[in-house]
Amino acid sequence: MSVLRQCWHGNSSRCVVPPLAAQLLHLGQLNPWPSQRRRCTVVAEGAKSKEAQLQWVSPENRKDVALILDQAERAAVRWEVTYTHFYSPPVVADALAVLEQMSDVTAVAWGGYPQAERCRIAMGREDVMMSAKEDPSQLPDAVAALDCRGNFMFDAATHRDFLGAILGTGVVREKVGDILIQGEGGAQILVDPELVEHFEASLTKVRSVPVETRAVLLSQLRVAAPRREEISSIEASMRLDAVASAGFRMSRGKMGDLIKGGDVRVNWKPAAKASVEVKAGDVISCAGKGRLEVVAVTTTKKEKFAVSMVRYV
């Protein structure tokens, strides 16, 4: 099987996962691939059952990946292109690793722009996926973009505000991709094309601010180029609030409030407590603040922790 990703510079390459999921794999947060020896054993034994295919998948992702496998099998039988829901990087990585074992299916992950976090997976036989290999943006009916405009000059809306308004229209999270906050002007939202008319009619208010929602071309997305900053810090512990406050350059108390408010995620999962410990390889994201990677941790002579991080904003 051929699995493609759209890389940062916009060219297709023969990769397994899109950038953010690839990043987790590189850092060791995901390891859906078996060793070469184990994979050869599976192939030699002809283990083609779904159970065998899913045994390498992270337990929390198996339900989603099983559904994606079912879709892939139908796409192969019907000689058509099928799209999944929008999924987070860990699910996309696990799904593409499993789909790689299917010789009759080609899969492409696409979220509307090259560095998208939440992606849909387009699946089909090689012959019907030819154009997607070269340019995923040419996939018909894969991802649509909405421009949600309002006056937030005196009361800026957050990612959570827009997501709450979106879900308040009766749509489930899996139908929505990334939400790109556009400052005081509103936000741009990636969605399932089938819901464009629904949002144009129903998404009319975010909090108490009236908004106008209309479809725009993907080429009209205003995506800021990612900025990378290397950060080093000495911490007494590896508590989430300590490490994240250093990485995002804010007080520990304020970071604790963001964690309690559900604005902080570790490896794309909601952080349960400020006291949870993080480790090298973890990815910490904070709504409106970007993403933080814990690259390395060493112990100092004074038994403290020297933490090396990279922040993307």
Side-chain angles (χ1 to χ4, degrees):
M1 158 185 171
S2 175
V3 182
L4 285 296
R5 85 160 195 215
Q6 187 73 359
C7 294
W8 288 92
H9 49 68
N11 295 325
S12 294
S13 62
R14 201 170 180 79
C15 306
V16 176
V17 288
L20 291 178
Q23 202 166 60
L24 283 179
L25 286 163
H26 175 70
L27 292 170
Q29 287 305 305
L30 295 173
N31 186 23
W33 290 279
S35 66
Q36 190 64 33
R37 178 181 61 79
R38 289 180 177 176
R39 178 173 292 199
C40 290
T41 300
V42 171
V43 173
E45 293 175 355
K48 299 296 184 181
S49 68
K50 184 178 296 184
E51 182 178 350
Q53 290 175 304
L54 294 175
Q55 64 181 317
W56 314 111
V57 175
S58 301
E60 63 269 24
N61 297 336
R62 284 178 186 167
K63 182 178 179 180
D64 289 329
V65 174
L67 292 174
I68 293 170
L69 271 179
D70 288 339
Q71 288 182 273
E73 291 169 357
R74 289 195 295 271
V77 171
R78 299 173 182 175
W79 285 79
E80 63 184 15
V81 177
T82 298
Y83 302 102
T84 69
H85 291 315
F86 285 95
Y87 289 109
S88 63
V91 176
V92 172
D94 276 352
L96 292 180
V98 172
L99 290 170
E100 188 182 13
Q101 301 174 35
M102 299 178 66
S103 61
D104 55 352
V105 172
T106 293
V108 178
W110 178 240
Y113 61 104
Q115 60 267 43
E117 178 175 317
R118 292 176 60 81
C119 292
R120 301 182 81 183
I121 302 175
M123 302 171 290
R125 287 186 177 270
E126 181 83 11
D127 292 347
V128 297
M129 292 288 289
M130 291 296 289
S131 62
K133 291 182 179 181
E134 301 299 326
D135 184 4
S137 67
Q138 299 303 312
L139 282 166
D141 305 321
V143 181
L146 298 172
D147 197 46
C148 185
R149 309 299 294 174
N151 186 357
F152 297 93
M153 181 179 297
F154 302 107
D155 189 11
T158 65
H159 183 282
R160 175 184 287 187
D161 293 329
F162 278 98
L163 180 58
I166 290 166
L167 300 183
T169 69
V171 173
V172 296
R173 183 67 176 100
E174 290 77 13
K175 293 291 186 179
V176 182
D178 287 359
I179 300 172
L180 307 174
I181 304 300
Q182 303 293 308
E184 64 186 34
Q188 292 184 318
I189 308 163
L190 286 305
V191 300
D192 184 328
E194 294 181 354
L195 294 175
V196 167
E197 291 185 1
H198 165 79
F199 283 121
E200 288 180 327
S202 303
L203 187 54
T204 58
K205 183 180 292 187
V206 175
R207 288 203 317 261
S208 59
V209 179
V211 296
E212 179 183 359
T213 304
R214 63 183 181 86
V216 295
L217 300 175
L218 292 177
S219 60
Q220 294 177 282
L221 288 174
R222 295 181 291 277
V223 182
R227 291 186 288 114
R228 186 177 187 273
E229 178 186 8
E230 294 184 358
I231 301 170
S232 296
S233 179
I234 303 296
E235 302 297 332
S237 75
M238 289 301 295
R239 282 173 55 113
L240 172 61
D241 56 351
V243 175
S245 63
F248 290 113
R249 302 189 187 285
M250 65 177 66
S251 71
R252 191 161 172 176
K254 185 174 181 180
M255 176 54 64
D257 291 339
L258 290 172
I259 294 170
K260 291 178 183 178
D263 291 319
V264 179
R265 292 173 175 263
V266 178
N267 302 328
W268 281 270
K269 299 174 186 176
K273 297 179 180 179
S275 60
V276 66
E277 291 198 351
V278 295
K279 61 186 182 302
D282 282 344
V283 178
I284 305 168
S285 53
C286 182
K289 303 295 182 181
R291 191 174 72 256
L292 184 71
E293 297 171 14
V294 182
V295 178
V297 180
T298 57
T299 304
T300 69
K301 292 180 178 179
K302 295 183 178 181
E303 297 186 351
K304 292 189 176 182
F305 299 94
V307 187
S308 298
M309 299 169 275
V310 175
R311 182 184 177 188
Y312 295 90
V313 294

